[in-house]
Amino acid sequence: MTAKPDRLGGKYPAVRLRRLRRNEACRRLVRETAFHPDQLVMPYFVQEGPRCKEEIRSLPGQYRFSIDCLMEELDELTGSGVRAVLLFGIPDEGKKDESASAAWSSEGVVQKAVREIKRRFQDLLVITDVCLCAYTSHGHCGMVNDRGEISNDASLKILSDTALSHAEAGADIVAPSDMMDGRIQMIRKRLDGAGFENLPILSYSAKYASAFYGPFRDAVHSAPRPEFSSGNRRIPADRRSYQMDPANLREAMREIALDIDEGADIVMVKPAMAYLDVIREAARTFDVPLAAYAVSGEYAMIKAAAEKGIVDERQAVWETLTAFARAGARVLITYHAKQVSLWNSSTQRESVKRVTALR
Ligand code: PBG
């Protein structure tokens, strides 16, 4: 803290900070940070085919939905008070190829899901993840060239095709998560050229090469394939040549500055829990809305610990989301969004209890 001693007030015994911690109503009265369900975004996985609702082994309580079963789920979600979703598509294995053609097809699973959501829900904000890793045969977020490298500029065209196809399907916000250089500029130009100049971009600006994406890659079968090679190409089986090094904070500020310059409307730090300093620094440095993404591994860790009785799930989730908001994040993307909103409304109902009858 940078507060001067005179701003911090007097000293004990005149000052007793415990006075304001005596009971729940008092603690709530002076609480410095709160978040509201309006800020929450719930991620969903949507797949082709007849399987309605398939639980994801490493993400207990999260599912791969078929399009029609997703509609039933969204009834529940909107009933809970959450107003925004982030969609990830899972194409059929047979539709993956080297140029990620299922990512930008108007008949792709995300494009179809968005059209269906827009037909059925008027005011639900639909954000789509724009990336290629679930659609490429090698599992990388961009094109691979004949030297076995992830080719930046060759990927931009396909990424902007993908973003445009989401816009045409009716997405409210597109969210590029690939980490290629220059993609925001390219996508912005492409959207503007097609009459979508008012469609916002939420950029995964400071996205780190993180171990905490493990369960997600299990969910969408998008891990980079170590066995993938063609001819004498050897392709790295990790994303460290495009996602950020976890050791870097200053570089994150450069990423965010570039994205804002290229037209990003909302910027994101991801993951969240291990990167609170990055969230804090971004919030202090930039005047654009900031999102924090509590990724699959963060969700899975809390779930696993709660299941073993090691932590209280509700308390742990509230504490981490409060920390993201305290650090400066406005938009909170979490697999706990629906649950948090349900918990929130049950607390509202039971706030103050009457102890005697009114007569
Ligand atoms: C696609 C993408 C990933 C996540 C969001 N978009 C996976 C990755 O980069 O490997 C991770 C989300 C999560 O772990 O919850 N590139």
Side-chain angles (χ1 to χ4, degrees), residues 25-290:
C26 195
R27 288 190 291 270
R28 282 174 175 262
L29 185 71
V30 300
R31 185 162 287 161
E32 295 174 34
T33 309
F35 60 87
H36 188 272
D38 286 354
Q39 294 169 253
L40 300 173
V41 178
M42 180 76 188
Y44 281 111
F45 302 103
V46 58
Q47 69 183 3
E48 302 271 7
R51 288 152 305 185
C52 170
K53 195 176 159 183
E54 221 182 356
E55 190 163 23
I56 299 160
R57 190 188 48 84
S58 53
L59 285 175
Q62 304 298 317
Y63 303 84
R64 302 181 190 93
F65 289 98
S66 64
I67 294 175
D68 44 332
C69 293
L70 181 63
M71 299 306 127
E72 288 166 32
E73 167 68 19
L74 293 181
D75 253 336
E76 227 180 281
L77 180 83
T78 48
S80 81
V82 175
R83 299 170 164 277
V85 296
L86 172 58
L87 287 191
F88 295 97
I90 310 173
D92 290 336
E93 271 307 300
K95 291 199 181 148
K96 297 188 186 207
D97 56 33
E98 278 195 54
S99 56
S101 52
W104 43 268
S105 156
S106 63
E107 289 309 304
V109 63
V110 167
Q111 291 81 352
K112 285 194 285 192
V114 172
R115 287 197 294 268
E116 192 63 16
I117 296 172
K118 285 292 152 186
R119 245 197 308 276
R120 299 196 185 224
F121 298 88
Q122 227 182 15
D123 298 315
L124 181 64
L125 189 81
V126 179
I127 309 171
T128 54
D129 184 87
V130 175
C131 198
L132 308 180
C133 55
Y135 304 90
T136 48
S137 36
H138 41 70
H140 278 291
C141 305
M143 297 297 98
V144 173
N145 68 18
D146 47 20
R147 289 191 300 264
E149 300 155 343
I150 317 306
S151 170
N152 194 85
D153 296 9
S155 306
L156 297 183
K157 162 94 174 42
I158 301 185
L159 286 161
S160 62
D161 285 343
T162 304
L164 180 58
S165 73
H166 293 178
E168 286 168 344
D172 295 297
I173 298 183
V174 291
S177 68
D178 53 283
M179 287 300 278
M180 297 300 127
D181 288 322
R183 85 254 213 233
I184 302 303
Q185 182 176 59
M186 187 76 163
I187 290 171
R188 187 69 272 163
K189 218 158 125 190
R190 201 69 193 290
L191 292 174
D192 291 359
F196 291 103
E197 54 280 283
N198 288 317
L199 192 93
I201 299 176
L202 189 176
S203 178
Y204 288 67
S205 300
K207 177 174 176 179
Y208 287 87
S210 171
F212 296 109
Y213 307 153
F216 175 96
R217 293 178 189 170
D218 175 38
V220 310
H221 318 294
S222 70
R225 309 281 161 101
E227 74 283 6
F228 190 90
S229 65
S230 115
N232 51 10
R233 291 182 302 171
R234 303 273 309 271
I235 304 169
D238 62 63
R239 305 203 197 291
R240 286 180 293 182
S241 77
Y242 42 103
Q243 298 181 350
M244 281 187 60
D245 186 326
N248 296 355
L249 171 66
R250 294 152 69 100
E251 189 190 350
M253 298 307 112
R254 294 185 73 192
E255 284 284 8
I256 295 171
L258 283 167
D259 281 359
I260 294 171
D261 201 50
E262 293 178 23
D265 301 281
I266 305 174
V267 295
M268 188 202 293
V269 173
K270 174 193 174 190
M273 220 189 324
Y275 296 86
L276 282 173
D277 57 327
V278 184
I279 297 173
R280 181 72 172 151
E281 190 72 16
R284 288 191 166 176
T285 310
F286 302 103
D287 283 325
V288 299
L290 178 63

